[in-house]
């Protein structure tokens, strides 16, 4: 009996098909270096390593960054970013936020440096 042919090429997976890697599709257009840097910053915020940043983690991260925001303001931030409706910031959603921040900043290195500096002090 012949073995079934397994197709592992991402380019041949249909975005609408059941085998389409959801996260890979959402992260198209990012370089490997960007994703690596975003993952480092994301992991600093995702203190419980759940794969998402919840309200408490966002509050702690903002405090470490020297920002005192109300829980209501933090809720609004999450609602603006949260595309899944799970009231958390998942990695792909975080990448989109970081991309927007990068477009507004003069240098991506400044964003990363600021985040790393804050967490080095903790």
């Amino acid at each position: 009996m012949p073995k079934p042919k397994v197709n592992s090429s991402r380019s041949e997976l249909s975005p609408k098909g059941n085998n389409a890697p959801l996260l890979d599709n959402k992260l198209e257009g990012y370089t490997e270096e960007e994703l690596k840097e975003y993952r480092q910053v994301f992991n600093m915020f995702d203190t419980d390593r759940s794969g998402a940043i919840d309200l408490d983690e966002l509050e702690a991260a903002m405090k470490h960054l020297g920002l005192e925001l109300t829980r209501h303001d933090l809720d609004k931030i999450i609602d603006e970013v949260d595309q899944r409706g799970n009231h958390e910031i998942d990695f792909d959603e975080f990448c989109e936020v970081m991309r927007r921040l990068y477009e507004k900043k003069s240098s991506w290195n400044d964003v990363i440096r600021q985040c790393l500096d804050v967490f080095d002090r903790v």
Side-chain angles (χ1 to χ4, degrees):
M1 173 177 246
K3 288 184 179 180
K5 185 176 179 182
V6 177
N7 183 354
S8 62
S9 171
R10 286 196 310 165
S11 63
E12 293 180 24
L13 293 175
S14 165
K16 294 181 183 176
N18 292 337
N19 293 331
L22 180 62
L23 191 58
D24 284 349
N25 288 340
K26 289 186 178 270
L27 297 177
E28 286 179 6
Y30 295 93
T31 67
E32 256 184 69
E33 186 170 327
E34 282 176 319
L35 291 175
K36 183 179 175 183
E37 290 174 350
Y38 292 162
R39 178 58 74 182
Q40 287 177 327
V41 176
F42 180 85
N43 287 343
M44 285 185 230
F45 293 168
D46 181 23
T47 56
D48 67 0
R49 299 296 181 249
S50 67
I53 299 168
D54 64 18
L55 183 62
D56 292 332
E57 291 168 321
L58 183 61
E59 181 178 38
M62 293 297 115
K63 283 182 181 178
H64 286 328
L65 293 170
L67 301 171
E68 292 291 330
L69 299 172
T70 67
R71 287 186 70 89
H72 177 73
D73 289 337
L74 295 169
D75 272 328
K76 290 195 307 190
I77 290 170
I78 289 177
D79 288 342
E80 182 180 325
V81 174
D82 181 24
Q83 298 171 5
R84 288 183 181 80
N86 60 359
H87 204 66
E88 294 180 322
I89 301 172
D90 299 296
F91 181 64
D92 60 309
E93 296 164 341
F94 181 79
C95 288
E96 181 60 31
V97 170
M98 295 304 286
R99 167 80 45 96
R100 284 188 225 156
L101 286 174
Y102 172 67
E103 290 169 355
K104 291 180 182 179
K105 282 291 227 181
S106 61
S107 167
W108 167 241
N109 290 332
D110 292 340
V111 174
I112 295 294
R113 198 172 301 116
Q114 287 173 3
C115 290
L116 294 175
D117 286 346
V118 166
F119 283 97
D120 282 343
R121 287 182 262 158
V122 175

